[in-house]
Amino acid sequence: MGANETNVIGRAVRRKEDARFLTGTGQFTDDVNPPRHTHAYFLRSPHAHARIVAIDASRAKAAPGVVAVFTGADLEGVNGLPCGWLITGTDGKPMNEPPHPVLAKGKVRHVGDPVALVVAESPHQAKDAAELVDVDYEILPAVVSCVEALKPGAPQVHDEAPGNRCYTWSLGDKAAVDAAFAKAAHVSKLDIVNNRLIPNAIEPRAAVASYNAAEDAYTLYVANQNPHVERLLMTAFVLGLPEHKVRVIAPDVGGGFGSKIYLYAEETAMVWAARRVGRPIKWAAERSESFVSDAHGRDHVTHAELAMDAEGRFLAMRVHTTANMGAYLSTFASCIPTILYATLLAGQYTTPAIHCEVTAAFTNTVPVDAYRGAGRPEATFVVERLVHQAGVDMKLSQDEIRRRNFIRTFPYQTPVALTYDTGGYDACLDEAMRLADVAGFAARKAEAAKRGRLRGLGYASYIEACGLAPSNIAGALGARAGLFEAGEVRVHPTGSVTVFTGSHSHGQGHETTFAQVVASRLGIPVENVDVVHGDTGRVPFGMGTYGSRSLAVGGTAIVKALDKIVAKGRKIAAHLLEAAETDIEFADGKFTVAGTDRSKTFGEVALTAYVPHNYPLDKLEPGLNETAFYDPTNFTFPAGTHICEVEIDPETGVVEVVSFAACDDFGNIINPMIVEGQVHGGLAQGIGQALLESCVYDAESGQLLSGSFMDYALPRADDVPSFKVGTKVTPCTHNPLGAKGCGEAGAIGAPAAMMNAVHDALAAVGVKSLDMPASPHRVWKAIRAARA
Amino acid sequence: MYAFELHKAASVADAAARLAQTGGRPLAGGQSLVGAMKLRLAQPGTLVDLSGIAELRGIRKEGTALVIGATMRHAEIADAADVKATIPALADLAGGIGDRQVRNMGTIGGSIANSDPAACWPAAVLGLGATVVTNKGRHAADGFFKGMYETALGSDEIITAIGFPVPRKAAYVKFRNPASRFALVGVFVAQAGDGAVRVAVTGAAPAVFRCAPLEAALAKAFTADAAKAVKIDAQGLGGDLHASPEYRAHLIGVLAARAVASLH
C-alpha cells in the first residue's frame, strides 16, 4: 500500500508491532526491573497428593540473601482463588467449589501446587533457599484420570467434593432424543478421548509486584490476557484491596492461548507479599514450572451417538462426557466443558434433537481451563468424528453426508441454545475441496499404495461460537462477570489518534488491525493511529482477549466510540461551515455540506475542538475524546471446512500430514495477512494435538511424565505442511464490522480433520478407532492389533 | 544452577591434573552437562573446560583410519570434506544431531564420554569398531560403552580422539523421538573392507549395543530383505512414553533394512 493511504480495510498492512518484536525492543514483564527489586521462587509440591504434616522454613529464612519466606499459614485473611463461572447441576444444585488456597494449606493436590514463596536478593538465592524449606509430607494415594476419579473408592481430592464430583450438568431435550433414537434407521457410535494438552506460550508466565507505601497503592506487571479481570478478581475476591489502589499492567505478552487469562496463585501471593517485604518482587516461571503450573487444556472422555434415517439425515445426537477439572477450579474451568462445549454440538447441521450430559471431576492434576478453542475443539471433535463415522457407516462420501445435513436457512435456532445469525457452509466446503484437490485424491492414494503407504483424507466442518458474549445470556448461564468490551478514542489537536482498548494483544496484531479500522473510519493515515492496551491505569475497564472476541467485541466498542467522534465532529463542522448539522456528510476524512464543495477536514475539526476560538461553547464541550462500551447481542459464528490429507508408513506408524486445506468464514476481514497468520498458528496447534501432543501422568504416583519438551512434543515447522487457506464471507449480522473472529478456528477444525484422515487411511488395514495423538507407536500398535 | 568453579585448561595434561585435583568434570560442548546443571540434576564443584586445547582438535587420516579430535563439533564434522569423502555416514550422522545450535556447540568426544542411551555417536563408534583414544591409552569400541551414562573411562581420563576404520560401506538411520528428536532407535550398519558386518543400535536400551542376529544375517546377504527377515527380541529393550520394547525391536529391523537399502 502507498504511504498515507486511508482506506485500508481488507488490506495486508504490515504489523506495526513487529518492528519492536523483531529488533528485541519489546517490553515484556521480565524486562521490567524496578529499583531495589527482589526475586521470588515458588516451592512446589513434588507429590500429587499429600497431607502437609509440618513446614519449617527457619533454615530457608536464614539462608544467604533471603528477604522473606511465606507459607499458607502466613496468608491470614487471604481468600482462595475464585472461579468465575457458576454451573448449576442437573440436580438444581450449584457446583462444588472447594477452596483453592493461594499457597497450600493442609494438603497439596497436584505436582506443582505452590507451597511456599521465597523472596531473596537474587533468583538463585531464592531457589537455593527453597531447598531448605523442610516440608513433612504424608503421601496420599492419587488419582489422575477423570473416569477413575468418579469411581467408588477413588482417592478424595477435596472433602468438599464427595466422589470428586464438581457437577453433573446437562443440556437439551432428553426425551426427544430418546424418541428419535428409537425410530432411527441407523446409529453411529464412538468412544472418544480428547487428550490433555499443555499450553506452552513462548513467554512463560511472569510477574513484577510493587507496593508504594506513600500512596498505599500496588502495581502489578503480569503476563496476562485481561488485566482488568485479573485486578477485579484479585482485589475483590482474594486480597480485599481497594480496586483503585491496584494498577495491573500486562505489557508485551508472548502468547497466551488462554493460559494467561486466569488469576493465578503466584502473582496474587506476590502482590500480597510486596507490601510485607516493602520492596518490589519479581518472578518469571521456568519452563519446567510452566508445565506443572499453567492451566492445561481439554482432557475429556466421551461416548457419543448419532441417530440417522435411512438416507443419512441426522435425527438426534446423544453425548456423555466426563471432563477433568484438575485439582482446583481454575478461573473459567467450569464453563469450558459445558457452556462452550455442549452448545456447539449442533455443528453445521440440522440435527433436531441433541442431549448432552457432562460430569466434571476433580483429580490430582494441574487445573484444566480454556486453551485455544476452549470447549469448541472438543465439541467439533465429537461432531466431526461422528459425522465421519456416519459417512462410513452409511456408505456416503464425506462431502455428501455433510451436504445432506447442512443448515441453509438463517437465523437458525439450534436445539442446544444458540441462534446462528448467518453462515454459508456449502461455499466453504466447496472451496476447501477445491483447495485440497479432492478430485485428484484417488490417484494420489493409488500412487502411495504402490510405495506401500496408506493415504487418507479427512474433513471437519466446524462451527464455533465467538465474540464472547452477550452479558445477559452469559449471566443467565452462570457467568460471574460481564463480557462487554470498552474502547476510548482520543483525537489529538493535530488530528492523530490514540485508541485505548480493553482488548489485549499477545500476538494477535491488534495494534495494526484496530488502527486499520480507525484509519478507515476517520479517513486518516494508519500511521496516525496508535493503539494502547493492557494497562488498567490507562485504558477503560475492559474484559480482555480470549474466545476470538477482540475484533467482534473490542473492535465494535472502538467503532461505537468512533461514531460518537464523528457525530461530534459533524456538530463542530456544521458550526464552522454555518450549515445545519443534518446537512453535514462525513466521508474520506472530510466533513462536507451535502451537495456543495464546502468542507472541513477531520484535522481542521480536531484542531477546532481543542482551540475553540470559533466554537459553539454554549452548546458543545470542547475536546474530541469519546469512550464506548459494547455488549454484543449475540455470539458470532465463524465456520468452515478443513480437509487434511495424510500418508502413513505402516511399517513404522509415522503419519505425515501431506496437505492441509482450510476454507473459513470469519465474516468481514480487516487484515488478511494477520488472519492467515492466525489460521496457520491455529492449524499448527490443532495438528499438534492430533499428531504429537500428549500430556501423560503416571496413574499411580500422579507424577507428570511428559514434564518437559524432551517428552512433550510440540509441533515444529517440519511437522506441518504448507497450508492452503481460503476464506468465504457471510458478514456477521449484528456488529457493525461484520466480523466474527479468527483466532481459534485452526485449532478447532484441525484435530478432527486430521484424525478423520488418519482413520480414512487406516480403514484399509482394518483399524477402527485410534485416540489422539496419532503417534508412530500408537499407529503401529493399532495396525498390528487390526492385522492380528 | 548451583555455583561452580570454571577452569579453562591449556593442555590435556593440565586438564587431567585439574580433574584429579578437584574431582571435577570435564566440559566439552556442554550440550548435555550444562542443561543438566541448569535443571540442578548435575552439581559439579569444578568444570574443566577443554574447548581451548589445540591437541583435541582436527580431522586427519592415519593409515586406514579417519581420526577425529575429541572437541570437534558436530557441525564441523558434518561439513568436513575429509569426512564426507571417507566415511559419509559419519557426516550424515553428525548433521542429524539435535538442532543447529546443538551441532555448533556439541562435540564428538563429549557425546561419546556422556554415553547417553539415545545419542547418535556411540552407534557410529560401535558400528565401525572405532578406537577411543585417551590421555591414558586406547579403548576398543566393544566394551567401551558400559551402560546408561557409563563408559570405560576413568575419572581423570580424557578422550583425545576417535579413530574410525574406513569401511567399505556404512549408513546410519535414525528414527526420531517425536518430542526430543533424540534417537528413539538409531541403527548404524557397516560393512568393513574385509566384508565383516557390524550393526550397532542406539536409543533402544540403556546403552548402545551390537545386534548379533542382524550382523549374522547381513554377513550372509547384505540386503534389506535379509535384515527384514530377522526377528529382533524385545527382551532388555527400553519402554517409555514413546515406544514399547516391542516397537523398538520392530524398528531395529526396519531401520537396519533401510540403512542397507540406502547403500544399494
Side-chain angles (χ1 to χ4, degrees):
Chain A
M1 56 167 266
N4 294 341
E5 203 169 321
T6 58
N7 184 16
V8 288
I9 296 290
R11 306 289 288 270
V13 174
R14 287 222 179 153
R15 293 183 6 137
K16 292 159 73 86
E17 44 273 82
D18 282 348
R20 69 176 190 274
F21 293 142
L22 294 174
T23 57
T25 50
Q27 283 292 303
F28 296 86
T29 297
D30 198 43
D31 295 318
V32 175
N33 291 303
R36 297 182 64 248
H37 71 271
T38 61
H39 296 268
Y41 182 79
F42 287 90
L43 177 68
R44 298 177 184 281
S45 170
H47 305 298
H49 197 194
R51 197 171 307 286
I52 299 174
V53 179
I55 302 181
D56 180 358
S58 55
R59 288 199 305 143
K61 284 177 180 169
V66 169
V67 176
V69 180
F70 302 105
T71 67
D74 297 312
L75 272 65
E76 219 170 283
V78 173
N79 293 322
L81 299 170
C83 179
W85 205 295
L86 172 69
I87 293 296
T88 302
T90 311
D91 58 5
K93 291 183 187 156
M95 65 186 185
N96 279 321
E97 285 184 86
H100 183 181
V102 172
L103 295 175
K105 281 184 182 169
K107 255 171 91 166
V108 288
R109 294 183 175 83
H110 67 87
V111 172
D113 207 355
V115 173
L117 162 58
V118 180
V119 183
E121 298 292 343
S122 81
H124 289 287
Q125 287 174 325
K127 197 169 178 179
D128 288 346
E131 293 183 359
L132 302 174
V133 178
D134 297 307
V135 188
D136 184 5
Y137 291 108
E138 177 197 340
I139 297 171
L140 302 171
V143 63
V144 297
S145 142
C146 54
V147 172
E148 295 300 318
L150 293 170
K151 289 183 179 167
Q156 291 296 291
V157 182
H158 295 275
D159 294 342
E160 297 83 354
N164 295 319
R165 194 174 299 263
C166 179
Y167 54 75
T168 294
W169 172 95
S170 59
L171 181 67
D173 185 340
K174 186 170 186 305
V177 167
D178 289 344
F181 268 85
K183 64 171 190 189
H186 180 79
V187 175
S188 291
K189 301 178 182 183
L190 281 178
D191 287 298
I192 288 168
V193 174
N194 204 292
N195 45 326
R196 177 186 277 243
L197 304 176
I198 305 177
N200 278 306
I202 194 165
E203 179 208 18
R205 285 192 297 120
V208 180
S210 339
Y211 174 70
N212 179 333
E215 307 280 341
D216 190 25
Y218 299 80
T219 302
L220 172 66
Y221 285 86
V222 61
N224 180 273
Q225 301 176 213
N226 33 219
H228 277 101
V229 177
E230 168 97 359
R231 183 180 70 171
L232 176 62
L233 294 174
M234 183 186 290
T235 58
F237 291 86
V238 188
L239 295 180
L241 296 173
E243 203 173 351
H244 67 295
K245 290 292 191 185
V246 179
R247 179 179 177 187
V248 176
I249 302 168
D252 284 330
V253 174
F257 313 116
S259 70
K260 291 174 183 165
I261 294 172
Y262 323 118
L263 178 65
Y264 282 98
E266 289 85 359
E267 62 259 27
T268 308
M270 287 167 66
V271 167
W272 178 88
R275 189 173 141 217
R276 273 75 191 169
V277 167
R279 291 169 64 186
I281 306 174
K282 178 171 179 170
W283 167 76
E286 297 177 7
R287 184 62 64 181
S288 322
E289 247 184 315
S290 302
F291 271 77
V292 295
S293 69
D294 292 6
H296 292 176
R298 320 281 192 256
D299 204 344
H300 287 195
V301 178
T302 294
H303 177 76
E305 302 182 351
L306 179 64
M308 286 168 281
D309 69 12
E311 281 75 46
R313 285 187 189 83
F314 304 160
L315 302 176
M317 186 184 291
R318 184 186 274 155
V319 178
H320 281 269
T321 292
T322 307
N324 199 332
M325 295 284 99
Y328 305 100
L329 281 176
S330 175
T331 310
F332 290 108
S334 53
C335 77
I336 310 305
T338 48
I339 309 302
L340 292 179
Y341 169 69
T343 54
L344 275 303
L345 289 171
Q348 300 186 358
Y349 311 108
T350 55
T351 317
I354 298 172
H355 183 257
C356 177
E357 184 180 89
V358 180
T359 299
F362 292 106
T363 61
N364 295 113
T365 62
V366 172
V368 179
D369 207 323
Y371 174 61
R372 200 172 194 169
R376 292 152 290 168
E378 296 92 314
T380 296
F381 197 71
V382 169
V383 174
E384 290 303 300
R385 285 285 299 117
L386 259 184
V387 170
H388 176 92
Q389 189 59 45
V392 171
D393 292 348
M394 303 304 288
K395 299 185 171 52
L396 291 172
S397 71
Q398 287 299 324
D399 64 301
E400 180 57 25
I401 186 86
R402 287 170 172 78
R403 288 186 208 281
R404 284 195 189 180
N405 292 285
F406 272 162
I407 296 162
R408 294 193 175 85
T409 312
F410 297 93
Y412 178 81
Q413 174 64 53
T414 74
V416 275
L418 297 176
T419 307
Y420 301 167
D421 61 332
T422 185
Y425 306 142
D426 291 277
C428 281
L429 175 62
D430 291 341
E431 177 63 5
M433 289 176 72
R434 190 187 69 77
L435 290 169
D437 185 23
V438 170
F441 174 71
R444 296 193 296 278
K445 184 174 172 135
E447 184 278 328
K450 279 190 203 149
R451 291 181 283 111
R453 304 296 168 97
L454 307 168
R455 279 233 174 188
L457 201 62
Y459 293 61
S461 297
Y462 73 92
I463 194 161
E464 46 174 334
C466 296
L468 310 178
S471 291
N472 54 349
I473 297 177
L477 295 170
R480 287 165 167 163
L483 286 159
F484 57 85
E485 196 47 86
E488 178 187 345
V489 175
R490 188 179 297 173
V491 181
H492 303 294
T494 52
S496 63
V497 172
T498 304
V499 176
F500 300 82
T501 174
S503 297
H504 185 273
S505 189
H506 34 279
Q508 293 87 347
H510 295 167
E511 290 167 49
T512 307
T513 302
F514 289 179
Q516 286 178 257
V517 169
V518 173
S520 298
R521 293 253 162 178
L522 295 182
I524 61 175
V526 73
E527 293 77 13
N528 288 9
V529 184
D530 266 3
V531 175
V532 173
H533 60 85
D535 183 349
T536 62
R538 297 179 75 191
V539 307
F541 191 103
M543 300 306 296
T545 286
Y546 41 83
S548 305
R549 69 192 299 270
S550 294
L551 185 60
V553 189
T556 298
I558 293 168
V559 168
K560 297 278 182 196
L562 290 170
D563 289 346
K564 294 184 188 178
I565 294 281
V566 171
K568 185 167 180 182
R570 188 177 275 123
K571 288 188 190 355
I572 297 168
H575 175 84
L576 293 175
L577 294 164
E578 297 176 335
E581 190 187 327
T582 47
D583 290 340
I584 302 292
E585 291 171 345
F586 182 66
D588 301 327
K590 270 196 268 188
F591 294 94
T592 305
V593 181
T596 77
D597 60 356
R598 294 171 56 228
S599 66
K600 290 286 174 188
T601 65
F602 180 75
E604 288 172 313
V605 167
L607 188 64
T608 304
Y610 289 98
V611 187
H613 297 165
N614 175 18
Y615 196 90
L617 287 165
D618 54 334
K619 288 179 286 196
L620 203 60
E621 292 172 13
L624 202 51
N625 190 3
E626 298 287 354
T627 299
F629 288 78
Y630 171 68
D631 203 287
T633 55
N634 192 359
F635 297 88
T636 63
F637 297 98
T641 290
H642 295 178
I643 300 179
C644 177
E645 186 167 332
V646 299
E647 184 171 299
I648 296 175
D649 177 353
E651 214 173 22
T652 60
V654 169
V655 177
E656 185 191 355
V657 183
V658 289
S659 157
F660 202 107
C663 182
D664 301 292
D665 178 358
F666 299 133
N668 291 335
I669 287 170
I670 308 296
N671 186 319
M673 177 190 71
I674 288 178
V675 167
E676 193 170 330
Q678 287 284 313
V679 172
H680 283 205
L683 293 176
Q685 266 172 310
I687 290 171
Q689 171 169 25
L691 190 65
L692 296 158
E693 297 184 46
S694 183
C695 173
V696 183
Y697 279 96
D698 183 75
E700 290 289 315
S701 68
Q703 292 293 324
L704 178 62
L705 300 179
S706 56
S708 78
F709 290 134
M710 292 297 282
D711 286 305
Y712 187 85
L714 280 188
R716 293 163 166 93
D718 64 353
D719 289 314
V720 298
S722 187
F723 299 118
K724 301 166 191 166
V725 301
T727 53
K728 293 287 173 188
V729 176
T730 60
C732 173
T733 60
H734 54 82
N735 69 50
L737 290 166
K740 298 180 179 176
C742 68
E744 297 165 293
I748 291 170
M754 213 202 108
M755 290 309 287
N756 284 340
V758 168
H759 281 89
D760 185 47
L762 293 180
V765 288
V767 173
K768 296 265 187 283
S769 177
L770 185 76
D771 286 328
M772 297 187 285
S775 66
H777 183 209
R778 200 172 261 183
V779 170
W780 176 78
K781 273 196 299 186
I783 292 172
R784 201 168 65 142
R787 281 176 173 165
Chain B
M1 193 180 280
Y2 297 101
F4 60 91
E5 298 275 331
L6 178 69
H7 176 73
K8 207 159 170 55
S11 65
V12 172
D14 175 30
R18 190 57 69 119
L19 287 172
Q21 198 178 63
T22 62
R25 289 187 64 177
L27 174 70
Q31 296 306 289
S32 298
L33 179 55
V34 174
M37 289 168 66
K38 285 165 80 175
L39 289 166
R40 298 191 162 204
L41 297 172
Q43 193 179 351
T46 301
L47 286 186
V48 178
D49 181 6
L50 309 179
S51 64
I53 303 176
E55 56 199 293
L56 298 179
R57 306 274 306 154
I59 296 172
R60 57 197 175 271
K61 281 288 290 289
E62 271 181 21
T64 57
L66 181 72
V67 178
I68 301 180
T71 59
M72 292 304 288
R73 302 182 194 278
H74 311 314
E76 293 173 324
I77 299 167
D79 290 344
D82 274 357
V83 179
K84 286 189 205 173
T86 332
I87 315 180
L90 292 186
D92 289 348
L93 177 149
I97 293 173
D99 54 28
R100 193 171 289 276
Q101 288 92 326
V102 168
R103 290 194 293 275
N104 283 336
M105 286 300 292
T107 69
I108 182 171
S111 171
I112 289 164
N114 193 44
S115 186
D116 186 303
C120 296
W121 278 121
V125 170
L126 195 60
L128 288 171
T131 302
V132 179
V133 186
T134 76
N135 59 332
K136 301 269 175 91
R138 304 167 80 83
H139 295 272
D142 293 302
F144 180 79
F145 299 100
K146 298 275 190 201
M148 195 182 285
Y149 303 112
E150 201 189 334
T151 65
L153 291 172
S155 60
D156 55 348
E157 189 171 10
I158 297 167
I159 298 176
T160 55
I162 298 93
F164 293 99
V166 178
R168 186 185 297 165
K169 292 172 175 177
Y172 177 65
V173 178
K174 168 163 66 170
F175 190 90
R176 292 167 188 270
N177 176 313
S180 70
R181 300 231 170 153
F182 272 81
L184 192 76
V185 176
V187 177
F188 197 102
V189 175
Q191 190 179 44
D194 62 2
V197 174
R198 292 173 71 103
V199 177
V201 178
T202 188
V208 65
F209 65 93
R210 285 175 67 182
C211 185
L214 276 169
E215 290 183 354
L218 289 171
K220 280 190 203 138
F222 197 72
T223 64
D225 285 343
K228 264 188 201 174
V230 177
K231 170 101 177 92
I232 309 291
D233 189 355
Q235 189 73 35
L237 301 186
D240 54 33
L241 286 185
H242 307 283
S244 61
E246 292 72 26
Y247 182 49
R248 283 195 162 93
H250 169 77
L251 284 178
I252 290 169
V254 171
L255 300 185
R258 289 183 182 183
V260 172
S262 76
L263 294 170
H264 284 292

